[in-house]
Amino acid sequence: MSVRKLALFAATFFFIITFANFTPVITSPAYATNGYIDPNTDGTIGIDWHTTGSSFYTEIDEAIRQPNAPTTTDYIYHLNNKTDTAFLRMSTISGVGSVSQIVVWIYHNDGSNGQFHVQLYDDNESTTRSSEASFTSSSSNAWHSVTFSGLSLTQAQLDSLSMRLRNSKVGGGGPTTNYIYAMYADVTYSNEVSISLTTDGSISFGNLAANTTQDTTSSGINDVETVRVDSGPADLDVRSTNFTEGANTWSLGSSNGSNQVKWEFSPNGSSWTTFAIVDTLYTLATNVSQGSTQNMYLRLTTPTATSSYSQFTTTITIVASAP
């Protein structure tokens, strides 16, 4: 009788542990966005540069964007037959993956024969981030820009970015005083996306009978997995491997069968999506804001028959990407 009971147990029960690995993955951000940076600290200023205030950056950090004209009562200025330079530290943007382009704008007046030039530097004022570029000369107050493209600056490099300004005489006649009334930069960058698990990343379904359904909701085994968007926003997708035990495999399918499971996930415990194809991404949630969390519930329907009664495992991966 004991032998018959053991045979019945072996024929109808499986021992299953899922989430042997629960892996957050970050993909390359899918889009670029723009933000503005402004002068926010003086660096090394040459003696032939002058200001209407007690500092230089405060006179040109107007936070005015072209085509709007800034005030012209405060400014910095330079006599264009002098060769010294002015370094200005810039503000930054958080959540940057990589900076690909910086467009520097100035609202200026070069008189009859002046020209301003700009170059990207690190705050140490010795490490360059670009070659020097020249603004279009203007004998009246006007906005002009130069574009630095093909960049690959990190968050840390953007955080320590300075602009080096230079002024030169480019025409005949005597030297003239040249003025800058406002300056800012338009930064093109990819968003940084970062996620982490706030739960343990491991779920055990325990002993389950053949052709049985169990889930991780509060009415099931009550073991929800939760992912947090540390830097975002982020789209969250999920994929799953097959269930394996040594050389034995339970495949995924739209329904269960012999050596095949129906394996589902849900963002809320009520609306379910089937992992119908192995290692295929399915949408868990879109545009999850930075600092927010997203739950994931799982539901398993066991095979109708199996080639092995040992422990099977699977791995689910959560993939984060920029919206």
Side-chain angles (χ1 to χ4, degrees):
M1 183 176 295
S2 297
V3 172
R4 286 197 296 272
K5 286 184 178 179
L6 180 59
L8 179 62
F9 176 85
T12 58
F13 288 84
F14 317 131
F15 184 71
I16 303 161
I17 296 180
T18 63
F19 277 20
N21 292 293
F22 189 94
T23 310
V25 172
I26 301 168
T27 64
S28 298
Y31 74 101
T33 189
N34 289 73
Y36 299 117
I37 57 175
D38 296 281
N40 71 346
T41 307
D42 289 347
T44 301
I45 308 293
I47 61 172
D48 293 309
W49 286 82
H50 304 282
T51 175
T52 54
S54 58
S55 61
F56 285 75
Y57 79 94
T58 56
E59 307 308 284
I60 59 173
D61 64 343
E62 306 293 318
I64 299 293
R65 314 306 180 201
Q66 66 85 29
N68 299 314
T71 62
T72 56
T73 56
D74 58 338
Y75 48 85
I76 64 175
Y77 58 101
H78 186 264
L79 191 63
N80 64 20
N81 66 340
K82 305 296 183 179
T83 60
D84 55 349
T85 60
F87 283 90
L88 293 167
R89 312 278 192 263
M90 302 298 289
S91 61
T92 193
I93 302 165
S94 61
V96 168
S98 178
V99 173
S100 58
Q101 178 175 281
I102 295 177
V103 181
V104 182
W105 287 90
I106 60 171
Y107 190 76
H108 64 120
N109 188 323
D110 304 322
S112 61
N113 57 6
Q115 187 173 38
F116 282 107
H117 317 271
V118 66
Q119 188 171 2
L120 307 183
Y121 269 79
D122 185 83
D123 285 347
N124 62 23
E125 300 182 4
S126 61
T127 303
T128 60
R129 301 299 183 198
S130 74
S131 57
E132 186 180 72
S134 301
F135 293 97
T136 300
S137 295
S138 177
S139 59
S140 60
N141 296 345
W143 283 107
H144 287 101
S145 67
V146 295
T147 299
F148 299 100
S149 58
L151 303 175
S152 184
L153 302 184
T154 65
Q155 176 75 70
Q157 290 170 337
L158 181 65
D159 292 344
S160 61
L161 187 67
S162 285
M163 304 286 179
R164 191 194 75 165
L165 294 173
R166 187 173 67 86
N167 182 223
S168 65
K169 182 174 177 291
V170 294
T176 58
T177 300
N178 300 165
Y179 302 87
I180 297 178
Y181 302 100
M183 182 176 78
Y184 72 94
D186 185 350
V187 179
T188 301
Y189 64 97
S190 59
N191 277 27
E192 180 184 59
V193 175
S194 176
I195 60 173
S196 60
L197 290 174
T198 64
T199 45
D200 62 7
S202 178
I203 295 176
S204 173
F205 280 89
N207 294 336
L208 293 175
N211 200 28
T212 297
T213 299
Q214 181 61 280
D215 63 45
T216 63
T217 66
S218 58
S219 60
I221 63 173
N222 194 26
D223 194 355
V224 63
E225 291 298 323
T226 303
V227 61
R228 180 180 60 219
V229 176
D230 299 315
S231 297
D235 289 342
L236 302 177
D237 299 290
V238 292
R239 64 174 182 252
S240 177
T241 64
N242 286 322
F243 287 72
T244 58
E245 181 278 310
N248 298 295
T249 298
W250 290 346
S251 61
L252 308 182
S254 57
S255 61
N256 67 325
S258 179
N259 289 312
Q260 180 171 295
V261 298
K262 184 177 182 182
W263 184 220
E264 302 166 276
F265 70 92
S266 171
N268 51 27
S270 59
S271 177
W272 297 91
T273 300
T274 302
F275 291 110
I277 303 173
V278 67
D279 291 328
T280 297
L281 286 174
Y282 297 90
T283 300
L284 175 65
T286 58
N287 203 30
V288 181
S289 61
Q290 181 170 307
S292 296
T293 58
Q294 175 62 53
N295 289 335
M296 186 172 75
Y297 301 87
L298 293 164
R299 184 164 67 185
L300 175 66
T301 302
T302 58
T304 56
T306 181
S307 300
S308 172
Y309 301 98
S310 297
Q311 170 182 308
F312 281 75
T313 64
T314 188
T315 297
I316 285 185
T317 301
I318 294 184
V319 177
S321 60

